[in-house]
Amino acid sequence: MTTSPSAGAAVLAAALALPGMVPTVRAESAPESAQIGFKYLSYRDSQPGLKRVSVDAPSVSWLVPVAGSWSLAGSYTLDSVSGASPRWHSSISGASRMSDFRRAADLRVTKYFARSSFGFGTAYSTEHDYRSNSYSLQATFSSEDNNTTWAVGVGRALDRIDPVNAVVVDEHKRTTDFLLGVTQVLTPNDIVQANLTIARGRGYYSDPYKQIDERPRERNQAALMLRWNHHFEDPGASLRTAYRLYGDSFKVDAHTLSAEWVQQLPRGWTIAPSIRYHTQSAAKFYYDPVYDPLLGEPFPPGYLTDPGGYYSADHRLSAFGALTLGIKVTKAITKDLNADFRLDLYQQRAGWRVGGPGSPGLATFRARFVQVGVTHKF
Amino acid sequence: MACGCEVRIADLDERAARQRARQAIDEIRRIEHKYSRYRADSVVGAINLAAGAAPVRCDDETLSLVAYADALHGTSDGLFDITSGVLRRAWDFKRARIPSAAEIDAALSLVGWGRFERDGRQVRLARAGMEIDFGGFGKEYAADRAATLLMDAGCRHGFVNLGGDLRAFGPQPDGSAWRIGIQHPRKANETIASLDVVRGALATSGDYERYFELDGLRYCHILDPRTGWPVRHWRSVTVLAPLAIAAGSLSTIAMLKEAAAAELLARSGAAWLTVGPSGQVDSSEGLAGRLPATASRDDPR
């Protein structure tokens, strides 16, 4: 009589092929093990002939389950930012050099019940001229069959701005945001989600380091995010797609489409290429790099007749299209230790806008994010 | 089910728990009705009635159970055979009588997984009088399905126990394990050990469920499909595995393999506890719970 060395594994594999042996849906449940992660992010952006901002940010994050139904999580990041920020549009001559440290920390505590969870979070971030405190409350509720989960949240952020050039002193910005979301499991392989966020902000929105930058003191934003994740049993992969519709009172309207393919590979490898396309209209007070015939650069035409109006040359408020190509590689080194690497290449061009003309006269803007990290579970 | 059935849900109020338990029991009943060999209107009844005649068309669930039976037959070198139930015609445990060689041969002529024909969705037993029986894993399948249903309904603490074959879907509400008693194979009202289960499954096969004794020898209901005779050796085999159906199948295969099962269990990757021919208890490492003092491994707790 021969004995198969893997009788146990063979029987289990055959049993797992039967329908209904393992749950198809998992409700949000309290984490079962503690976790600590270290990440290192490197960010570089540039325009032709100008290396702009670079950020190097090591961070540590941790999560501990407490008493079975609570979790406590936090992170700490130290950014070192240096580089040149153009004083208007992409003007190199006017670039101001800068170098700064940013410290950011956050803490979240979550209580889990059978079909609901309640969380409170607080975050703190500081630079020598900027300080931000925020608080948030979030709750989730699942239906009896756990196929539907609703989420509601409210957050409040208080920012203090004290620029070194003393253009303004002790300025503030206060933002309140609301989240309403629903996640629906359609089939064991399909999950869809809709999240609506509305934010209302009051205070100082201008860039104190740009020469002509005067923005409204209120900004109301709304964003609708739609997601659909589909799992393919056969190649062992998931497709994550998303569409985001955004609009705000600066009159920036944006559409963002993204897709990520997460492919499981043998020996603990996962590879996930991604693509994201973004297109937006310009803020109503963004002005093109066409300057006043009398005053010259950087003054927008008509500045003399309306010096108290709103103006900004910030390229993030221009009309453009942008494409991000990314790849993330994860390797499960042991059952409890994961290493990951992520590269994202971002490019923003006026000519890539869809649904209207892009803002003329701006050089292509490129950015590169590299992140490496390890996560260990206990 | 002709056995004790216990659905325990520990993390909900009584009304919600009763409602979930109802759904779990409905699922167990559904499986029992669909695959009972005693019912002519069951899927198994229809296949058996049509033996030697026309093929029967099956649904996905039945075909996956057939595929599982096929995998078990291969893994057990032909010992786990769902056509072996007809041997019960020769062995009548109520009458406590050893059948004649002719009676056993007649029953054996109707045994053979190789004569279960499959063509797409059509299945057929080649000879009239042949029978299939999902009893060897149906109960554990039902326990797994019911536990999955409860997990999908958000239950996180409890278990489904069908006659000692159990699938747990989470610890007690305070996080501690469920302590599950293992039937003593010779003392009907006693347990021989108690094992801790948080998640996963536990199943026991033994020579004590249906048997008769004659001239000091025990003849139990687990029959070797090659010889037509009851198996000897183990008094009982308990296996812990992620799924009840896997635990139950491994414990039955171990009973069928007799002495050779020691090696199979040692290499199975599962945790186990055996009661040997003279009552000695042996167990794998890593079992937690109350083990008898004779257990050769692991500290009794």
Side-chain angles (χ1 to χ4, degrees), chain A residues 201-228:
Chain A
R202 297 292 179 269
Y204 186 71
Y205 278 94
S206 306
D207 184 338
Y209 300 109
K210 283 201 182 339
Q211 200 151 334
I212 306 289
D213 200 277
E214 196 60 43
R215 307 181 193 185
R217 292 188 66 87
E218 63 173 77
R219 188 178 198 181
N220 298 321
Q221 299 162 289
L224 176 68
M225 184 84 169
L226 302 173
R227 285 195 181 91
W228 174 37

Side-chain angles (χ1 to χ4, degrees), chain B residues 125-139:
Chain B
L125 284 160
R127 263 189 74 179
M130 286 183 75
E131 283 181 6
I132 60 161
D133 177 4
F134 288 163
F137 49 71
K139 192 172 62 166

Side-chain angles (χ1 to χ4, degrees), chain A residues 25 27 115 142-149 185, chain B residues 151-154 156:
Chain A
V25 215
R115 281 204 317 279
S142 299
S143 63
E144 293 214 344
D145 61 6
N146 263 322
N147 284 335
T148 312
T149 303
V185 177
Chain B
M151 280 185 271
D152 276 343
R156 293 290 171 270

Side-chain angles (χ1 to χ4, degrees), chain B residues 153-172:
Chain B
C155 299
R156 293 290 171 270
H157 303 279
F159 58 81
V160 177
N161 183 357
L162 300 183
D165 293 347
L166 157 153
R167 168 88 178 265
F169 47 84
Q172 300 198 42

